[in-house]
């Protein structure tokens, strides 16, 4: 069933209940949410949006963005997520591939990309924006009040939401579930950008899988800015609590308490910042703390369990192409790390998710939640993930590392992900990452371990640890003999105040880390 239909049917059943509370505290009831979505759908269709039309979507998480996205879905359009901040050349390459017929953006973004003073201000802050008003699209929609720079004839989202929805929406012809619904640009280059295409069916399957592992219902309050957790919240009749766009960890924590949150989602690095602001622990009403988008270090997991002893702390393994794949509890992950078998426990594949290993150990995934494929490429029936994995004796997936992160030392292939969780779990180590610095003459690689510790000025020794006493190099060989092979011991250990991360998910930036640990000539 269409995810839009699921949301609208729930909204029709509980029109007087609060569906969403925005970052500024503004509440939106289910009945009003339904009315606005149907009004936007009617307005877009009346203005010429046809099923299959792509709509470039540049509106930050908010009630307006939710209403607009659901309105586009209901009209049969395809929401195209392509970050204008990726740079003019990359953005142009992505637009050439996607060819959206419509563009929807915040008025401020139109102004910032069009007006010279605003463009200059953004450029000084390292943000190079394309001129959205010059996109080769047929119609524009602006969110927020009109500002100079908004294209002439652009539709106002506010005006659309106040428009009529003839028939109350009961006669709505929902788009086919196997039709494209979302295009998400993830990676690639200007010569070959890459975008994931999800259908209504794959998104609905993903939401249903999440709900099987994460019970939700009326009375629950889910605090997150993640659409893929917010939608199952609405489908379940629960309340979606949105944090403010640029809120601090203290604000996030305050909203958890004031709004009575029962569920929340955080990127591990963000959760660590929230825990720093919560010496007394997380609110007792929390039942589920979800972590995702990046590996969760053992130190963060231990802190989360201690701060929310009544909650289930869960780590979600997912990819843009297929989500979710597996979910593991903090207790399971910590027990696995303590077992000394190496790697990062991901959990058992969720029901219906197919998981197998290629000859080289690469994880291959399939299932109803798998995307249709990449834009412009043939459909996928299974996904080569680029992750190297194995199954444990209980049939659970264990991540060994990324194929592209593999290091070569002589005849030994070193996969950082096999060792990093165990190193990060050592007392006195907050985080750890391994990178290689290739020797241009031999092709061999110097293996460098970067760690974050409370006493980051301490001397932790080199590969052999000779003369370093109880340095970290000695501890690796002594405390993790069953995890770290002799050939995997680092040549050099560098202590940093923090590991470099990038993007909204705060994933480890290994390229930047290599720069930080490279010795000067």
């Amino acid at each position: 069933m269409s995810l839009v239909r699921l949301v609208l049917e729930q909204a029709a059943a509980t029109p007087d209940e609060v569906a969403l509370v925005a970052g500024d505290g503004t509440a939106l009831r289910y009945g009003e949410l339904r009315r606005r979505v149907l009004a936007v759908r009617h307005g877009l269709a009346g203005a010429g949006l046809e099923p299959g039309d792509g709509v470039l979507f540049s509106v930050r998480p908010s009630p307006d963005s939710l209403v607009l996205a659901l309105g586009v879905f209901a009209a049969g359009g395809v929401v195209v997520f392509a970050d204008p901040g990726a740079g003019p050349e990359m953005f142009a390459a992505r637009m050439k591939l996607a060819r959206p017929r419509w563009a929807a953006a915040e008025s401020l973004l139109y102004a910032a990309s069009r007006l010279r003073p605003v463009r200059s201000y953004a450029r000084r802050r390292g943000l190079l924006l394309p001129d959205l008003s010059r996109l080769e699209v047929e119609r524009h929609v602006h969110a927020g009040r009109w500002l100079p720079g908004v294209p002439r004839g652009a539709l106002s989202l506010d005006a659309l939401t106040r428009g009529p929805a003839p028939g109350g929406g009961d006669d709505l012809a929902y788009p086919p579930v196997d039709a494209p619904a979302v295009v998400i640009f993830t990676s690639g280059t200007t010569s070959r950008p890459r975008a994931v295409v999800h259908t209504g069916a794959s998104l609905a399957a993903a939401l249903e899988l999440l709900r099987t592992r994460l019970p939700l219902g009326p009375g629950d309050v889910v605090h997150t800015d993640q659409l893929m957790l917010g939608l199952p919240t609405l489908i379940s009749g629960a309340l979606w609590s949105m944090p403010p766009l640029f809120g601090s960890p203290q604000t996030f924590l305050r909203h958890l308490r004031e709004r009575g949150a029962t569920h929340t989602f955080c990127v591990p690095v963000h959760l660590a910042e929230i825990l720093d602001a919560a010496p007394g622990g997380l609110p007792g009403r929390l039942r589920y703390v979800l972590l995702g988008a990046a590996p969760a270090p053992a130190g963060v997991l231990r802190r989360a369990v201690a701060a929310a002893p009544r909650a289930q702390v869960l780590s979600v393994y997912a990819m843009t192409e297929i989500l979710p794949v597996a979910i593991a509890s903090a207790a399971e992950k910590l027990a696995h790390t303590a077992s000394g078998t190496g790697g990062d426990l991901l959990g058992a594949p969720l029901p219906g998710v197919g998981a197998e290993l290629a000859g080289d150990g690469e994880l291959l995934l399939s299932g109803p939640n798998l995307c249709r494929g990449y834009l412009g490429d043939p459909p996928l029936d299974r996904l080569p993930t680029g992750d190297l994995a194995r199954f444990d004796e209980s049939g659970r997936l264990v991540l060994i590392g990324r194929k592209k992160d593999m290091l070569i030392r002589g005849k030994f292939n070193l996969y950082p992900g096999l060792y990093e969780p165990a190193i990060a779990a050592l007392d006195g180590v907050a985080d750890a990452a391994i990178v290689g610095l290739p020797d241009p003459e031999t092709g061999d690689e110097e293996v460098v371990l970067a760690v974050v510790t409370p006493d980051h000025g301490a001397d932790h020794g080199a590969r052999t640890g000779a003369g370093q006493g109880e340095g970290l190099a000695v501890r690796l060989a002594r405390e993790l003999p069953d995890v770290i092979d002799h050939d995997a011991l680092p040549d050099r250990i560098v202590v940093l105040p923090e590991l470099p991360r990038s993007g909204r998910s705060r994933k480890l930036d290994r390229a930047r880390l290599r720069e930080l640990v490279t010795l000067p000539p």
Side-chain angles (χ1 to χ4, degrees):
M1 184 181 292
S2 163
L3 66 88
V4 179
R5 183 170 184 172
L6 291 170
V7 172
L8 295 183
E9 287 184 352
Q10 177 61 52
T14 57
D16 297 327
E17 298 297 324
V18 177
L20 186 148
V21 176
D24 62 0
T26 303
L28 181 64
R29 298 188 182 276
Y30 272 101
E32 179 62 10
L33 171 64
R34 182 173 185 271
R35 189 201 66 76
R36 291 188 189 183
V37 170
L38 293 176
V40 169
R41 180 260 175 191
H42 176 69
L44 293 175
L49 181 70
E50 298 179 359
D53 282 353
V55 181
L56 172 65
F57 200 85
S58 301
V59 186
R60 293 169 295 183
S62 66
D64 278 350
S65 68
L66 173 67
V67 167
L68 180 55
L70 290 177
V72 171
F73 291 151
V78 181
V79 173
V80 179
F81 292 105
D83 181 12
E89 291 184 4
M90 175 64 82
F91 184 75
R94 290 174 172 178
M95 290 301 94
K96 183 178 180 180
L97 177 62
R99 299 188 183 281
R101 287 188 63 213
W102 289 60
E106 296 175 46
S107 299
L108 184 60
L109 189 55
Y110 279 118
S113 65
R114 180 68 172 162
L115 301 181
R116 181 168 297 178
V118 185
R119 283 175 61 87
S120 298
Y121 176 81
R123 185 181 293 272
R124 288 197 299 271
R125 281 170 167 35
L127 186 60
L128 303 178
L129 293 173
D131 187 346
L132 295 180
S133 66
R134 295 185 182 275
L135 287 175
E136 295 182 3
V137 297
E138 296 182 13
R139 296 300 300 267
H140 289 266
V141 179
H142 70 91
R145 65 185 182 88
W146 184 90
L147 292 173
V150 171
R152 186 188 302 266
L155 300 174
S156 163
L157 175 59
D158 183 57
L160 289 173
T161 60
R162 289 187 276 106
D170 297 329
D171 59 345
L172 177 62
Y174 293 98
V177 294
D178 60 349
V182 173
V183 171
I184 308 170
F185 279 90
T186 58
S187 59
T189 63
T190 54
S191 61
R192 184 171 171 76
R194 203 172 202 192
V196 173
V197 181
H198 270 288
T199 65
S202 63
L203 291 177
L207 299 184
E208 188 57 35
L209 273 176
L210 192 58
R211 291 172 68 198
T212 61
R213 188 65 175 85
L214 189 72
L216 282 167
D220 288 331
V221 180
V222 183
H223 192 60
T224 181
D225 63 357
Q226 298 291 312
L227 184 65
M228 288 306 292
L229 185 54
L231 287 176
T233 300
L234 298 177
I235 291 170
S236 303
L239 188 153
W240 180 1
S241 166
M242 279 188 175
L245 290 174
F246 303 108
S248 65
Q250 291 79 6
T251 302
F252 193 98
L253 180 63
R254 177 168 57 84
H255 283 169
L256 286 178
R257 293 186 178 128
E258 293 177 351
R259 299 178 183 180
T262 56
H263 302 60
T264 192
F265 174 92
C266 296
V267 173
V269 172
H270 184 211
L271 179 60
E273 295 169 348
I274 293 168
L275 294 174
D276 289 340
L282 297 175
R285 195 161 184 261
L286 272 176
R287 300 201 319 272
Y288 291 91
V289 177
L290 273 72
L291 296 170
V300 173
L301 293 174
R302 282 195 290 260
R303 292 181 65 194
V305 170
R310 299 179 184 176
Q312 290 194 47
V313 179
L314 304 176
S315 181
V316 182
Y317 172 64
M319 308 185 75
T320 304
E321 293 88 341
I322 180 169
L323 61 154
V325 173
I327 298 176
S329 69
E332 290 177 303
K333 292 177 74 70
L334 291 171
H336 174 83
T337 299
S339 72
T341 55
D344 183 17
L345 180 70
L346 304 178
L350 292 170
V353 175
E356 56 184 304
L357 301 179
D360 62 355
E362 181 178 8
L363 179 61
L364 309 175
L365 296 172
S366 59
N369 53 333
L370 176 64
C371 68
R372 169 178 286 187
Y374 298 105
L375 190 61
D377 290 348
L380 285 173
D381 56 4
R382 63 178 183 174
L383 175 71
T385 62
D387 285 338
L388 297 166
R390 62 179 175 84
F391 289 98
D392 70 4
E393 64 281 356
S394 300
R396 301 176 301 181
L397 284 168
V398 178
L399 180 67
I400 295 174
R402 294 284 296 170
K403 287 179 68 172
K404 68 178 183 180
D405 293 334
M406 184 191 77
L407 311 182
I408 299 176
R409 172 189 274 161
K411 296 181 180 179
F412 183 77
N413 293 340
L414 190 157
Y415 299 100
L418 184 61
Y419 311 107
E420 290 166 345
I423 298 173
L426 290 173
D427 289 340
V429 178
D431 210 349
I434 297 172
V435 293
L437 301 178
D439 185 320
E441 295 184 5
T442 66
D444 207 355
E445 293 187 90
E446 179 192 22
V447 177
V448 182
L449 168 63
V451 295
V452 178
T453 68
D455 57 338
H456 58 262
D459 185 356
H460 290 278
R463 180 180 181 189
T464 62
Q468 300 301 325
E470 293 297 310
L472 182 55
V474 172
R475 291 181 61 199
L476 294 180
R478 189 186 67 219
E479 299 181 31
L480 301 175
D482 297 328
V483 177
I484 301 183
D485 302 303
H486 175 77
D487 287 330
L489 290 171
D491 297 302
R492 185 160 50 92
I493 296 175
V494 177
V495 181
L496 299 174
E498 62 181 2
L499 298 182
R501 300 185 181 276
S502 61
R504 289 188 63 199
S505 64
R506 308 287 295 276
K507 288 185 178 180
L508 177 66
D509 187 340
R510 291 188 187 270
R512 175 59 181 153
L513 180 58
R514 292 186 188 95
E515 295 176 0
L516 292 175
V517 300
T518 298
L519 293 172

